[in-house]
Amino acid sequence: QVQLVESGGGVVQPGRSLRLSCAASGFTFSSSVMHWVRQAPGKGLEWVDAISHDGTKIYYADSVKGRFTISRDNSKNTLYLEMNSLRPDDTAVYYCAGGPTIDYWGQGTLVTVSS
Amino acid sequence: EVVLTQSPDTLSLSPGERATLSCRASQSVGRYLAWYQQQPGQAPRLLIYDTSHRATGIPARFSGSGSETDFTLTISSLEPEDSAVYYCQHRSNWPITFGQGTRLEI
């Protein structure tokens, strides 16, 4: 059974940093492109970034480029998102997603950026 | 960046009726278009990938069609549990983008 479990969300002040993790199981994590997708309260889905199966290719949305860093540890079946210089408009539920056609999703972790 | 525009924003129908949701791309995405269903408080669920392929476990009443810039999600006979927000998404190039969503009310 495929499972993606995000952790690390919480309340953080503007300008501070936060690191999210996503633990994967039930599929071949090391063969899968992985993504972070976010959803601001009451809004639609926004793709954030993606990383190739071996970590050599990384892609970012313009809205997070230079502030967020996606990475992975295939030995631990874990995906990460390092978020720096956080802004109030980064407030969202952050989903970890992956699979051949982005068919696996976690339940999300809420990040609230507020003073 | 490919902009995906969904229509209508909201669709209100009755059980047993047919729903037709549209997604238009600002440039060709080939057939790399997917549809997701999201119910309140839940993560999105993949319904259709690569325009017309149903994901595992998705009922046959869901179907997708289209190509290049114009795509359609059809739900042939609505069930009450189909009430949700539906998003289209492309993966033809980077960045991946989503449509703004269509809210389907049953």
Side-chain angles (χ1 to χ4, degrees):
Chain A
Q1 181 185 354
V2 171
Q3 273 202 309
L4 292 171
V5 180
E6 302 94 338
S7 60
V11 180
V12 61
Q13 293 180 328
R16 304 298 291 265
S17 299
L18 204 61
R19 189 196 203 200
L20 306 183
S21 299
C22 171
S25 61
F27 68 104
T28 309
F29 179 78
S30 59
S31 298
S32 293
V33 176
M34 295 298 297
H35 307 256
W36 289 98
V37 176
R38 67 184 181 182
Q39 186 169 36
K43 302 297 184 184
L45 300 170
E46 180 188 13
W47 175 83
V48 175
D49 50 25
I51 185 168
S52 63
H53 69 97
D54 58 1
T56 58
K57 296 178 183 176
I58 289 175
Y59 308 91
Y60 294 102
D62 285 345
S63 57
V64 305
K65 201 173 292 183
R67 300 187 300 121
F68 288 14
T69 302
I70 187 173
S71 62
R72 66 191 298 159
D73 186 337
N74 286 345
S75 69
K76 295 181 179 179
N77 282 0
T78 302
L79 178 72
Y80 302 100
L81 182 63
E82 184 76 35
M83 302 184 293
N84 299 319
S85 303
L86 282 162
R87 309 187 301 220
D89 63 355
D90 293 318
T91 293
V93 173
Y94 284 74
Y95 294 102
C96 161
T101 48
I102 319 180
D103 35 350
Y104 310 144
W105 292 70
Q107 283 305 300
T109 187
L110 177 62
V111 173
T112 302
V113 184
S114 173
S115 54
Chain B
E1 171 176 319
V2 177
V3 177
L4 298 177
T5 303
Q6 293 185 238
S7 60
D9 289 332
T10 304
L11 188 57
S12 298
L13 294 169
S14 300
E17 290 192 304
R18 181 186 191 92
T20 303
L21 286 67
S22 175
C23 177
R24 178 160 288 180
S26 60
Q27 62 192 73
S28 175
V29 298
R31 291 182 65 81
Y32 293 112
L33 195 286
W35 292 92
Y36 292 85
Q37 177 194 66
Q38 188 179 34
Q39 289 171 330
Q42 295 189 20
R45 178 174 71 146
L46 178 68
L47 299 175
I48 301 287
Y49 66 93
D50 294 351
T51 298
S52 58
H53 299 271
R54 271 190 306 277
T56 304
I58 301 303
R61 66 178 184 273
F62 292 91
S63 63
S65 62
S67 66
E68 306 295 339
T69 60
D70 287 287
F71 300 87
T72 300
L73 173 70
T74 301
I75 311 172
S76 60
S77 180
L78 287 166
E79 303 279 351
E81 61 265 27
D82 297 334
S83 287
V85 179
Y86 292 82
Y87 295 95
C88 60
Q89 174 226 55
H90 87 89
R91 59 183 183 96
S92 66
N93 55 28
W94 304 100
I96 286 171
T97 56
F98 290 88
Q100 84 279 12
T102 290
R103 181 176 301 277
L104 176 59
E105 299 172 342
I106 311 295

